[in-house]
């Protein structure tokens, strides 16, 4: 088993990502179909549009780049899954894929580069660890947009700060 500082750090982010994804989707499940699809001023317009973007970016683009060395060509606003429940399941499943992938890498891999092509086909090479951090930061950014939309709709929002996740992980299990 790989236990470098990189593995510890990114495994923690991956666990948080799974938990935060589940908590957000639980809160979103209580939103009416109309509010879920309504343009609420987010970059990808609606909660649905933002969740679809998260599926595209994190799972279909970034995961393919990190796991397979592939560079899919896919629009960032593509609607991959129009069905609400299937989209939620795809996001949950996709978030769970990062933990075993991170565990599979050698410690040296984190010090390397990630070579890929952008969605427009331009070649890029970026620091591997920093780019992986971007994936989790990107998810946090869009979860924050969705929780702001939920608040504006008068809906309850889950507490998604990472410190609360860490405290819950440390709490004695009943």
């Amino acid at each position: 088993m790989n236990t470098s500082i990189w593995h510890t750090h990114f495994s923690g982010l991956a666990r948080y990502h799974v938990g935060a994804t589940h908590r957000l989707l639980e809160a979103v499940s209580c939103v009416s179909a109309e509010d879920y699809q309504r343009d609420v001023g987010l970059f990808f317009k609606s909660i649905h549009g933002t969740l679809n973007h998260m599926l595209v970016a994190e799972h279909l683009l970034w995961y393919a780049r990190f796991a397979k060395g592939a560079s899919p060509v896919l629009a960032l606003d593509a609607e991959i899954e129009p069905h609400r429940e299937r989209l939620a399941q795809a996001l949950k499943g996709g978030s769970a894929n990062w933990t075993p992938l991170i565990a599979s890498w050698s410690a040296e891999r984190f010090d390397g580069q990630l070579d890929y092509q952008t969605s427009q086909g331009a070649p890029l090479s970026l620091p591997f660890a920093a780019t992986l951090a971007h994936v989790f930061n990107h998810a946090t950014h869009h979860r924050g947009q969705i929780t702001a939309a939920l608040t504006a709709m008068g809906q309850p929002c889950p507490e998604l700060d990472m410190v609360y996740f860490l405290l819950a992980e440390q709490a004695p299990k009943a």
Side-chain angles (χ1 to χ4, degrees):
M1 183 170 125
N2 292 313
T3 57
S4 72
I5 188 73
W6 288 121
H7 290 98
T8 301
H9 175 70
F10 285 111
S11 291
L13 289 178
R15 288 191 320 277
Y16 165 70
H17 180 59
V18 168
T21 297
H22 282 254
R23 292 195 66 177
L24 176 69
L25 291 170
E26 184 179 320
V28 166
S29 73
C30 299
V31 173
S32 72
E34 180 183 337
D35 282 343
Y36 176 78
Q37 292 283 353
R38 182 167 50 98
D39 183 341
V40 291
L42 303 177
F43 189 85
F44 294 96
K45 301 187 181 350
S46 65
I47 291 172
H48 177 76
T50 303
L51 291 172
N52 252 287
H53 166 71
M54 291 170 72
L55 182 65
V56 167
E58 295 162 30
H59 307 299
L60 301 179
L61 293 176
W62 285 113
Y63 187 84
R65 292 167 180 163
F66 279 98
K68 302 169 188 160
S71 293
V73 175
L74 191 58
L76 294 176
D77 62 352
E79 184 179 45
I80 300 302
E81 181 50 73
H83 188 267
R84 182 176 179 166
E85 287 78 24
R86 286 194 305 260
L87 175 56
Q89 290 308 312
L91 287 164
K92 289 176 185 177
S95 68
N97 290 335
W98 288 99
T99 300
L101 180 62
I102 290 164
S104 75
W105 293 323
S106 70
E108 295 75 27
R109 182 68 188 110
F110 294 95
D111 293 324
Q113 294 290 114
L114 178 68
D115 299 321
Y116 68 97
Q117 291 182 359
T118 67
S119 297
Q120 296 76 37
L124 280 180
S125 183
L126 294 172
F128 190 90
T131 308
L132 181 58
H134 161 76
V135 173
F136 296 116
N137 189 59
H138 178 266
T140 299
H141 165 69
H142 286 300
R143 284 190 297 263
Q145 289 180 322
I146 293 171
T147 58
L150 291 172
T151 299
M153 292 175 186
Q155 296 289 327
C157 287
E159 180 53 69
L160 297 180
D161 281 347
M162 188 172 189
V163 71
Y164 294 110
F165 168 79
L166 295 171
L167 289 168
E169 272 196 332
Q170 292 178 3
K173 304 295 184 234

